[in-house]
């Protein structure tokens, strides 16, 4: 059987400058194992599968897979999947609101002329990190205590720990030392540093996944920017709206638009562009 799939560039209007996502349509008959196998074969950070909704308020349902597991929610897969649904199955959809059904429940997405934005989910864990973890993070990232302005849990699912540095250049200069990670498990670290006042972007962001044997950096990360936005707004370090930059060290051109509405809800958005349309034979 063959089915449609799209490759979508998320969080950048510059060709091939964002985070790629594979979206597989007409996925009703695929099993979980088949979805995981397709995701591994695609070899992207995430692949999503469009399905009919089961909730009466949802416009569509999505399952989100990484190379080794299924996620209840993720940011750039949400925007890329919504973009694909609007361009295909939801082409007749009217209005500026789309409701996505996923493992985390119902996610509100707003449609604007130049971008889609999703409502940031609530944090599952917040507050300062303990002294032992803070010390290990500084060691792995090769930072001195004076380099870190703040560090805290900003976990909305993946396990993010946010670390605020003095400026954007400090974020870009970080070179982790894997030999200093004692483990076990993995550290999901979000580095944040402000750009000079008057810059086009307010903050520089890096998303690092660190374990005892490997380091990976995500080019543009919706979930991290959602929790960073909540953290920065709550502590008065950011004013709404602002634009964050991510992917610089990887040669990407990620731009993430973050705002907080009058009700306190944080919204995260960016450009979404289809780069490839094709058929997947299964």
């Amino acid at each position: 059987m063959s089915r449609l799939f799209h490759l979508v560039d998320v969080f950048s209007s510059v060709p091939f400058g964002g985070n790629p996502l594979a979206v597989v349509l007409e996925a009703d008959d695929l099993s979980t194992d088949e979805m995981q196998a397709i995701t591994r074969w695609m070899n992207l950070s995430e692949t999503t599968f469009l399905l009919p909704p089961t909730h009466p308020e949802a416009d569509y349902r999505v399952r989100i897979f990484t190379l080794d597991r299924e996620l209840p929610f993720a940011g750039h897969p949400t925007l890329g999947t919504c973009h694909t649904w609007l361009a295909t199955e939801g082409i007749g959809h009217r209005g500026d609101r789309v409701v996505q059904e996923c493992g985390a429940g119902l996610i509100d997405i707003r449609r604007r002329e130049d971008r889609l934005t999703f409502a940031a989910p609530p944090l599952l864990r917040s507050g300062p990190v303990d002294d032992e973890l803070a010390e290990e993070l500084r060691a792995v990232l090769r930072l001195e205590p004076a380099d870190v302005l703040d560090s805290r849990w900003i976990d909305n699912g993946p396990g993010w720990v946010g670390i605020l540095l003095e400026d954007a250049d400090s974020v870009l200069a970080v070179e982790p030392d894997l030999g200093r990670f004692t483990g076990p498990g993995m550290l999901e670290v979000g580095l944040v540093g402000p750009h000079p006042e008057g810059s086009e972007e307010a903050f520089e962001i890096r998303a690092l996944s660190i374990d005892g044997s490997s380091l990976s950096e995500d080019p543009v990360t919706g979930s991290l920017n959602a929790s960073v936005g909540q953290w920065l707004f709550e502590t008065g370090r950011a004013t709404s709206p602002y634009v964050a930059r991510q992917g610089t060290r990887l040669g990407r051109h990620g731009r993430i638009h973050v705002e907080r509405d009058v009700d306190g809800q944080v919204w995260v958005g960016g450009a979404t562009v289809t780069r490839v349309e094709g058929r997947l034979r299964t």
Side-chain angles (χ1 to χ4, degrees), residues 73-75 78 104 106-108 118-124 154-158 222-223 226-227 230 265-268:
F73 171 81
T78 291
L106 299 182
I107 304 295
D108 270 359
F118 68 83
L123 296 182
L124 303 177
I154 51 170
D155 180 19
N156 54 12
S223 62
S227 58
Q230 291 164 316
Q265 174 64 55
V266 173
W267 295 84
V268 178

Side-chain angles (χ1 to χ4, degrees), residues 30-40 49 63 65:
L30 292 173
S31 68
T32 297
D33 288 344
E34 288 171 324
M35 292 180 184
Q36 187 68 76
I38 291 170
T39 301
R40 292 195 185 102
F49 298 85
R63 295 182 67 179
F65 286 80

